[in-house]
Structure formats: structure tokens, C-alpha cells
Amino acid sequence: MVAMADNDDPGVDLHGGFGDDTEQLDGEDIMEDDPEVKEIMMGDEVDDASDEQRSNIRGSAAKNDEEAIIQCGTSAGPIAMRFYRSWSPHGYDRATALFERGYFDHSHFFRVVEHFLVQFGIGYTQDKELKAFSQSTIPDDPKRPDLLPFKEGMMSFAGSGKNSRSSQMFIAYDGAGNLGQSPWETPFGHVTSGLENVKNFYKEYGDMPPWGKGPEQGPIHSRGASYIESEFPLLDKFETCSVQRINQSGSGEVKDANVVKNVAAEIKKANVVNKAETKDEAPSFPFTTLLILSSIVVSVLLGLGYVRKKRKKFNKTT
């Protein structure tokens, strides 16, 4: 749960808070219900999964210095975020993968509490694998007291207990400084631009019942976007997002690993082509050709000598 600014805690109950319609499942529950998902999510079977599945589900190969820049359109205007794997490795891997796979596209900011936080993370995807991935839980990361107190724009997962993080996240407002004490509240990033747009998200519905008149999570899960759009039409939402993973080099220069790799490959390819073209274009002069050319030159010289000799004889005669 996420603590309230005034300590009157409605929380984010990822189990009972969904109502009677939907139950939050952890990874083991999902795998028991669907053997195909089990093959993707854990065990040796992951070796047979696609590259995308391995990178998005395990995410363990990413380097600790990796960062990600996420740019999103929203109904209130564009926002940009930056995530840091060094802050929260498990949280970074899950958050970045969800954004990369479009899980949050067109989903709503369903809990907007002034001077406290903006919460989101219940997507509307119909993709079975992505839905299972979003509902599975990840381990907690070590606490980061050096990053506390929460500053406006900082981001973390919502949760309900130990190792309960799945897909729900929040962006802190200016009164969220008391957050960060729960095991799931390790920051993984922050809003770098468009914070004014985040602060302008519609907030008149207030918190979830009974602390406010905002939407309940259960109907969002069971009815999807139609519940929000019919009963809370003024809530803001994501449009689409793009993700750029980057690595921090030893010198501190930000580099896009994929771009560097692609550029290096193109340069290598171009060098190979240029060498081949140079080789093909280089003139070839076999010995026989040189001999023929030499003979022609000698013949011309001899001819010129003969003409001069004839001209002298003619001049003497006349």
C-alpha cells in the first residue's frame, strides 16, 4: 500500500482492493493456471523463448549502469522520464519492459491526489502473455535512503507487502516526502520534463473510496477503459510511449548502445565494400601488355629517326 500524506492510509491493496471481481495473482498462481506462460516466465524453458521474451521477462542481462529515457504523450501534454537501473535493478527492469511493450498505452491515471501522488499501471491489453507478465510480481530491491526523501516527480512502484510489485506505479507530488519507507517504495526514476503537465492531471475526483470519489481498482480490471470513460470521463491518460535504453560509459558520456553497435557495423561494412571496390578498380598491367607497349614505343622512336635521316639526305640533295 502507499501511505497517505496525513497517515490516514487507504493504501493500494493489491489483493482485497480489487473488489470481488478480480484477484491479483502472483507469478506462481499465473504459471499454475497457464502452462504456456510458465514456459516463458521461468525455468530452463526460457532458453526456448524468443529474444524479446527473454529480455522483457528476465531482464537480468542488463548492466547496472543502464538507464532508459521514456517519452510519452498524455491527454494533458507530453512528459519525459528517466529510469536508473542502479537505483532499483528489479524495478528498472520491470518498468522499462512494460513501457517498451506498450502496456501503459492509453491507460488512465486513475488515482490523482493533490499534493500527494499520481498512480497508474492498470493496462487494457488483450495480449495474454503481456497481461500475465504485468500481473506477476518481482522481488523487492534494497532500500535507498540516499535518494530520500521523495521529491516531486520521483517514481516508484505501489505494493501491498513484501515482493508485491507488479505493474502499478506512482509519480510523487510535492507532499509525498514521507514515502520510501515500505519495502516496495524504492525509487527507480523521475520525471525529467513535462512535470507541469503531470501536476495538471485532473484531480477533482480525489482519492479512491472511501477517502474520495475516484475510481475503484476492481471495476478497472473487470471492465477496462469503458468503466473510466463512462464514469470518470475527465481523468487523464497516456497516449503512446517510446523507450530509449542507454549505457553510461566510464567517462560519464551517455551513449546509446544500440546506435553505437549499428554505426560500428555500418562503418565496418562500408570499409569492406570500399576495399573490394578499390581492389576491383585497381589497373592490372600484365608483363605481355608492358612488352607490347615497349615495342610500340621503340617502333615510334625508330620511325622518327628514319624520318629525320631521310629529311637530312633530301636537304643535301637540294
Side-chain angles (χ1 to χ4, degrees):
M1 60 181 62
V2 175
M4 284 294 290
D6 59 4
N7 295 322
D8 183 13
D9 186 3
V12 182
D13 190 344
L14 300 184
H15 297 281
F18 287 168
D20 297 331
D21 297 326
T22 308
E23 179 181 0
Q24 174 74 5
L25 302 176
D26 63 19
E28 293 182 359
D29 293 331
I30 296 170
M31 290 185 285
E32 288 177 1
D33 292 342
D34 193 332
E36 293 180 1
V37 173
K38 180 178 181 180
E39 289 185 2
I40 295 172
M41 292 181 64
M42 69 177 300
D44 296 334
E45 294 87 345
V46 173
D47 294 333
D48 297 327
S50 68
D51 289 341
E52 180 182 2
Q53 290 166 341
R54 285 198 297 270
S55 63
N56 287 340
I57 294 175
R58 279 187 160 174
S60 59
K63 295 181 179 179
N64 284 333
D65 61 354
E66 185 176 276
E67 300 175 7
I69 297 173
I70 292 83
Q71 300 186 64
C72 300
T74 78
S75 53
I79 63 173
M81 299 160 279
R82 193 174 188 115
F83 300 164
Y84 305 88
R85 197 170 195 274
S86 60
W87 288 13
S88 174
H90 294 298
Y92 171 92
D93 290 342
R94 173 56 63 87
T96 304
L98 287 171
F99 274 102
E100 279 181 329
R101 300 178 67 176
Y103 177 74
F104 300 116
D105 289 358
H106 309 295
S107 65
H108 287 85
F109 301 98
F110 60 83
R111 184 185 183 197
V112 185
V113 184
E114 190 169 14
H115 300 300
F116 186 40
L117 56 75
V118 175
Q119 189 169 327
F120 64 93
I122 303 178
Y124 306 136
T125 181
Q126 298 300 310
D127 183 280
K128 184 177 181 181
E129 178 192 321
L130 181 54
K131 184 177 291 187
F133 175 58
S134 70
Q135 292 177 337
S136 64
T137 55
I138 60 173
D140 293 326
D141 284 306
K143 290 185 178 182
R144 292 294 304 269
D146 55 311
L147 298 175
L148 302 180
F150 263 74
K151 300 176 181 62
E152 191 169 44
M154 292 184 73
M155 300 179 64
S156 176
F157 278 85
S160 61
K162 185 178 179 180
N163 302 324
S164 62
R165 295 181 297 175
S166 56
S167 66
Q168 292 194 37
M169 310 172 186
F170 66 84
I171 302 172
Y173 278 154
D174 56 358
N178 64 322
L179 297 179
Q181 305 305 316
S182 299
W184 57 86
E185 290 176 351
T186 302
F188 60 81
H190 61 95
V191 175
T192 57
S193 67
L195 185 57
E196 286 302 314
N197 294 329
V198 175
K199 293 166 70 173
N200 286 332
F201 288 162
Y202 188 80
K203 54 182 70 70
E204 296 305 315
Y205 297 123
D207 207 339
M208 66 183 77
W211 301 273
K213 298 180 180 180
E216 299 180 74
Q217 294 187 30
I220 304 177
H221 281 270
S222 60
R223 295 169 54 188
S226 62
Y227 165 64
I228 298 291
E229 291 169 356
S230 62
E231 300 188 31
F232 305 91
L234 298 179
L235 283 179
D236 288 287
K237 63 180 180 179
F238 282 109
E239 292 173 356
T240 58
C241 300
S242 64
V243 177
Q244 178 190 17
R245 290 180 185 257
I246 56 179
N247 285 330
Q248 198 80 10
S249 69
S251 63
E253 180 183 358
V254 177
K255 295 183 178 180
D256 186 325
N258 290 327
V259 170
V260 172
K261 183 177 179 181
N262 291 338
V263 169
E266 290 298 323
I267 292 174
K268 184 176 180 181
K269 181 180 178 181
N271 287 340
V272 171
V273 171
N274 289 337
K275 287 180 180 178
E277 290 177 349
T278 302
K279 184 177 180 181
D280 292 340
E281 293 172 0
S284 177
F285 296 101
F287 177 75
T288 53
T289 303
L290 291 173
L291 185 60
I292 293 171
L293 290 174
S294 299
S295 299
I296 293 172
V297 171
V298 171
S299 298
V300 170
L301 292 174
L302 290 174
L304 290 173
Y306 177 78
V307 170
R308 287 177 180 176
K309 187 176 180 181
K310 284 288 188 178
R311 182 175 295 175
K312 286 180 179 180
K313 186 176 180 180
F314 174 79
N315 289 337
K316 286 180 179 180
T317 304
T318 56

